[in-house]
Amino acid sequence: MRLLLRLCPGLGLAAAAAFAQKAPGFDLGAINRSVDPCANFYQYACGGWMAANPIPADQSQWGRFAELQDRNRIVLHNILESVSANKPGRTALEQKIGDYYSSCMDEKAIEQAALGAIKPDLDRIAALADRKELTGLITHLFREGSAYFFTWSPEMDPKDSTQVIANLDQGGLGLPDRDYYLKTDDKSVELRNQYLAHIAKIFTLLGMPQAEADAKAKVLMAIETELAEGSLDRVSRRDPEKIYHKLKIAELAALAPAFDWRAFLTGLGMNGLGAPPIENVDVAVPPFMQTFNAVITGRSLDDLKAYLTYHLVIADAAVLPQAFDQESFNFFGKILSGAKELRARWKRCVDQTDSQLPDALGKSFIDKTLGEQGKRRMTQMVAELEKMLERDLQQIDWMTPATKVQAVHKLHAILNKIGDKAHWLDYSNVRIVRGDALGNLTRTNEFEVQRQLAKIGKPWDKTDWQMSQPTVNAYYDAQENDVNFPAGILQPPFYDNKMDDAVNYGGIGAVIGHELTHGFDDQGRQYDAEGNLRDWWTPEDAKAFDQRTQCLVDQYSGYTAVDDIKLNGKLTLGENTADNGGLRIAYMALIDSLGGKTPRKTGGFTADQRFFVGWAQVWCTNTRDETARVRAQVDPHSPAEFRVNGVVSNMPEFQKAFACRQGQAMVRYPACRVW
């Protein structure tokens, strides 16, 4: 059934959606029975699926997450197509999402507009004649949703969760990570040369002679390399204490005096009438601000103009003429990620509408997918997993009683948000103009920027979400101390009302356990029940925790992502801790729900076996080498194969279920366990 969407283009959307919803939560056809589950459980559970699901040409990776996101996208597509025609009778919200989508799809209008839509900003950059004007220019572009050199956003004060303060962080890079600019291996050098060629191509599309475009590309690379050298590496950023530096505005100005921070605040409307004055800023990486100051004082105005021009164009490439859109894909999609062709326009426009007007689509999506039964069962499962995590916290032998009390208190304080929103955003003041794709993107960006900045100085709204409801994902927020499960993930293969508990506990149950465990991983454990960055551990407990997590660091650092690239066990530690703890807690919940009963085999599998296969099959994935290389360097999640095998090899319960023997690959000794 899964393949019909891709292989039968004549299938109507409604029929395709109906077929897609039948994707099983437990797929016997996905299993490769020629593989011994004790030798490589991932290949056993997913080998059949991987063989039957090659990566589509427009994708850099294809797995069960993407498969479900594709099904969700069809639901959204049907909604948008039904309201995209400019007919009377549409509601105000239908007009906005319909016209936004229609404008994004109108490639003819985008071509006819040429660069006219961004010409005012291009002209403003070109007219920069004095460094004193740089603050105003960057402020203007920031209000339109473009972040240059740095990011500025609201955050709960890590040391005082009752306060929302401003956060200033490093930024300004075009490549995925600082290390891309600093490594000297052949692959990194080759990629930088390809990035240079891409930048030069953008400048030639703007009408610049090739020689001048090449020179501008080298200037831009030099600026970004300087910013990269001043940036903090990803592993260091995993320590919340290393990215918390609460400074007065005057102290920030001392770090980067060439930028007028007071004028920046005023330009954002944050020091205006009725707005609380900004006195404190969390400057995540103070040395980076010194680097930023050195760049804007040491580089010529022409150099800075080149930097700003490129980043303005590439940020808006999706709604610029096709040549810019294609060139953006050629580098970021094809070279960097390995995709073979640009995704269909309708898919990208559905995603853009969901991104820019998330709540306008989210409510309709929930009504069509989750339903009350699904939400009720999910709420029950979260409660069951929380009960098991509390039992686990009480039973572990390496934590002292005093710290256990604090841990249980934190667990009880976790807020659960499941597949719905308490408050939906009001878009009544957002102007959507039919035929103005770039204008619509800019105006929705401006709306979101102002919505975020308005949070500063006010109590944090814990009902807000960081992702839209159709998103196939979930998350834990350490400062809010909450777990969040959008409706998008509460569907097969993660959750299926028609499946038995064993499969659902292995799927969505493990996801729930994963997010709950994040509250007690190497980052989450540093925050207390109220979301404050506070050390509530005894020294002996902290030492015991570090010893156990080092086992995971060593285990996952031994896995090879692609070619000669090993995983970074320190970068992936939080996710690996959550995977291992989450599946164990989900298994405890399954056993508890069975109450000592032994269900009959289903499809030839015991309940325990179905649980582990259910877990593995949510991760079935095919990945291009280019993407595997990028993810190994920047993604805190391990690749799918190691998320599966890494966890089950640490679980005696798995080894018993599949009669694995000591010495086989899925029997790790010594086994790693934190939670």
Side-chain angles (χ1 to χ4, degrees):
M1 297 289 185
R2 303 186 301 276
L3 300 177
L4 288 173
L5 289 178
R6 251 185 308 133
L7 301 182
C8 300
L11 191 66
L13 285 176
F19 278 119
Q21 293 302 324
K22 296 180 181 178
F26 182 88
D27 188 354
L28 290 172
I31 294 174
N32 182 354
R33 297 179 186 273
S34 69
V35 176
D36 182 349
C38 298
N40 188 325
F41 187 58
Y42 176 75
Q43 287 292 335
Y44 169 80
C46 291
W49 186 94
M50 295 167 70
N53 288 270
I55 306 172
D58 64 351
Q59 299 290 322
S60 59
Q61 179 172 279
W62 188 251
R64 304 304 296 277
F65 277 78
E67 190 180 48
L68 175 53
Q69 194 67 66
D70 235 26
R71 298 201 301 271
N72 290 350
R73 189 178 291 113
I74 286 176
V75 175
L76 298 179
H77 189 207
N78 284 336
I79 294 170
L80 291 170
E81 284 288 338
S82 70
V83 298
S84 64
N86 191 9
K87 296 179 180 178
R90 292 186 299 175
T91 67
L93 206 57
E94 288 173 340
Q95 176 271 319
K96 291 185 189 298
I97 59 175
D99 287 356
Y100 190 100
Y101 171 75
S102 176
S103 301
C104 180
M105 289 293 293
D106 193 347
E107 294 178 273
K108 182 178 179 181
I110 291 172
E111 290 293 330
Q112 289 175 341
L115 293 176
I118 63 167
K119 191 173 186 303
D121 283 342
L122 289 173
D123 290 345
R124 188 164 181 167
I125 293 172
L128 184 67
D130 191 305
R131 290 182 199 278
K132 293 180 180 179
E133 300 171 358
L134 187 62
T135 298
L137 175 58
I138 290 178
T139 305
H140 166 75
L141 296 172
F142 184 92
R143 290 186 63 174
E144 293 183 340
S146 299
Y148 298 89
F149 297 111
F150 56 81
T151 65
W152 179 277
S153 60
E155 71 168 0
M156 294 171 67
D157 187 336
K159 296 289 179 78
D160 182 3
S161 62
T162 66
Q163 301 295 314
V164 179
I165 61 174
N167 172 269
L168 177 64
D169 207 347
Q170 65 193 33
L173 305 182
L175 292 174
D177 185 70
R178 65 184 288 278
D179 289 354
Y180 278 81
Y181 298 87
L182 309 180
K183 288 185 174 181
T184 58
D185 61 278
D186 291 344
K187 282 283 187 181
S188 297
V189 172
E190 179 186 12
L191 186 63
R192 286 198 293 272
N193 288 333
Q194 292 170 313
Y195 184 45
L196 278 169
H198 154 71
I199 297 168
K201 178 64 174 179
I202 292 294
F203 282 121
T204 62
L205 290 175
L206 290 171
M208 193 175 289
Q210 186 67 53
E212 185 180 356
D214 290 339
K216 294 293 185 186
K218 291 179 181 178
V219 163
L220 194 138
M221 177 68 85
I223 289 176
E224 292 188 4
T225 300
E226 193 171 348
L227 294 174
E229 290 170 342
S231 299
L232 191 64
D233 67 276
R234 286 180 183 261
V235 171
S236 296
R237 289 180 62 87
R238 288 195 55 76
D239 184 348
E241 290 284 0
K242 290 183 178 179
I243 53 172
Y244 178 72
H245 306 88
K246 192 173 180 179
L247 304 179
K248 299 290 187 184
I249 295 297
E251 294 175 301
L252 169 60
L255 288 172
F259 193 77
D260 191 338
W261 295 100
R262 291 289 181 188
F264 176 69
L265 296 177
T266 300
L268 294 180
M270 299 180 69
N271 281 346
L273 189 64
I278 302 297
E279 298 295 340
N280 299 301
V281 181
D282 177 10
V283 181
V285 188
F288 178 82
M289 302 318 300
Q290 295 173 313
T291 300
F292 163 60
N293 193 76
V295 168
I296 62 175
T297 56
R299 292 286 170 180
S300 70
L301 285 179
D302 283 345
D303 289 355
L304 297 175
K305 290 178 189 179
Y307 172 86
L308 294 171
T309 296
Y310 167 78
H311 283 285
L312 172 68
V313 171
I314 210 65
D316 293 332
V319 286
L320 290 179
Q322 190 269 342
F324 292 92
D325 193 15
Q326 185 65 45
E327 175 53 35
S328 177
F329 166 76
N330 286 344
F331 179 75
F332 293 103
K334 188 177 292 186
I335 292 174
L336 197 58
S337 302
K340 305 303 181 185
E341 62 184 40
L342 193 59
R343 283 194 306 149
R345 185 80 188 181
W346 73 265
K347 292 184 179 182
R348 294 187 289 138
C349 288
V350 167
D351 289 351
Q352 192 182 119
T353 309
D354 178 43
S355 172
Q356 299 301 112
L357 296 166
D359 281 15
L361 276 176
K363 188 66 168 64
S364 297
F365 178 84
I366 288 173
D367 292 342
K368 293 178 180 294
T369 56
L370 181 60
E372 283 304 314
Q373 180 185 359
K375 185 175 180 181
R376 188 166 53 251
R377 182 66 183 117
M378 265 298 296
T379 301
Q380 180 184 347
M381 287 186 73
V382 171
E384 292 167 353
L385 268 291
E386 288 175 334
K387 183 176 74 171
M388 291 303 104
L389 179 52
E390 180 174 357
R391 181 181 297 178
D392 182 61
L393 290 169
Q394 297 286 13
Q395 291 176 347
I396 54 176
D397 59 6
W398 57 266
M399 182 178 274
T400 61
T403 305
K404 285 184 179 182
V405 170
Q406 295 261 21
V408 171
H409 173 60
K410 178 175 182 177
L411 173 62
H412 288 170
I414 292 177
L415 174 67
N416 303 322
K417 296 190 306 199
I418 301 169
D420 206 345
K421 295 190 69 172
H423 305 291
W424 297 86
L425 298 181
D426 178 6
Y427 296 109
S428 58
N429 292 326
V430 181
R431 190 166 63 95
I432 302 298
V433 179
R434 196 174 186 87
D436 184 14
L438 179 59
N440 294 336
L441 176 64
T442 299
R443 287 185 289 273
T444 50
N445 278 342
E446 289 174 333
F447 168 81
E448 184 61 18
V449 168
Q450 291 305 310
R451 186 178 80 87
Q452 293 296 332
L453 296 182
K455 296 177 180 180
I456 298 174
K458 299 176 183 177
W460 189 266
D461 179 9
K462 291 193 174 185
T463 67
D464 202 5
W465 288 68
Q466 297 173 19
M467 54 184 61
S468 72
Q469 288 303 313
T471 303
V472 182
N473 212 331
Y475 67 95
Y476 168 80
D477 188 300
Q479 289 186 268
E480 295 187 23
N481 195 27
D482 63 5
V483 288
N484 304 261
F485 304 100
I489 199 172
L490 306 181
Q491 302 172 74
F494 299 92
Y495 172 76
D496 190 344
N497 280 328
K498 299 175 182 177
M499 278 289 166
D500 62 290
D501 278 349
V503 176
N504 282 330
Y505 276 105
I508 200 63
V511 172
I512 296 168
H514 173 103
E515 301 307 337
L516 290 171
T517 304
H518 269 315
F520 306 92
D521 68 13
D522 62 310
Q523 287 181 308
R525 79 170 189 86
Q526 298 187 56
Y527 293 86
D528 64 18
E530 287 70 45
N532 292 309
L533 186 56
R534 179 177 68 84
D535 189 0
W536 49 273
W537 293 61
T538 66
E540 55 264 45
D541 287 324
K543 181 180 179 180
F545 177 88
D546 289 342
Q547 289 173 341
R548 282 158 177 76
T549 55
Q550 186 60 47
C551 181
L552 291 173
V553 170
D554 295 340
Q555 175 186 355
Y556 285 84
S557 293
Y559 294 136
T560 300
V562 61
D563 299 331
D564 59 342
I565 302 296
K566 295 284 188 179
L567 298 190
N568 185 335
K570 291 183 178 179
L571 176 62
T572 59
L573 177 57
E575 299 299 333
N576 297 335
T577 303
D579 279 346
N580 279 267
L583 189 64
R584 183 171 287 108
I585 294 163
Y587 181 79
M588 291 170 62
L590 172 63
I591 298 304
D592 187 68
S593 72
L594 293 177
K597 298 178 182 177
T598 302
R600 293 185 206 174
K601 287 186 176 182
T602 304
F605 291 86
T606 66
D608 281 19
Q609 290 173 332
R610 286 170 64 78
F611 170 84
F612 288 110
V613 172
W615 153 255
Q617 287 190 345
V618 304
W619 298 110
C620 298
T621 306
N622 285 310
T623 304
R624 300 193 194 278
D625 286 351
E626 296 89 342
T627 290
R629 182 174 289 273
V630 171
R631 287 180 178 269
Q633 297 177 77
V634 305
D635 194 343
H637 303 82
S638 296
E641 179 173 1
F642 307 122
R643 296 191 79 163
V644 173
N645 290 348
V647 174
V648 300
S649 65
N650 286 322
M651 291 188 67
E653 299 88 346
F654 166 80
Q655 293 140 23
K656 180 180 178 182
F658 285 91
C660 300
R661 303 180 307 279
Q662 192 165 349
Q664 292 186 286
M666 296 298 99
V667 184
R668 178 178 172 79
Y669 184 82
C672 298
R673 176 170 180 176
V674 183
W675 304 111

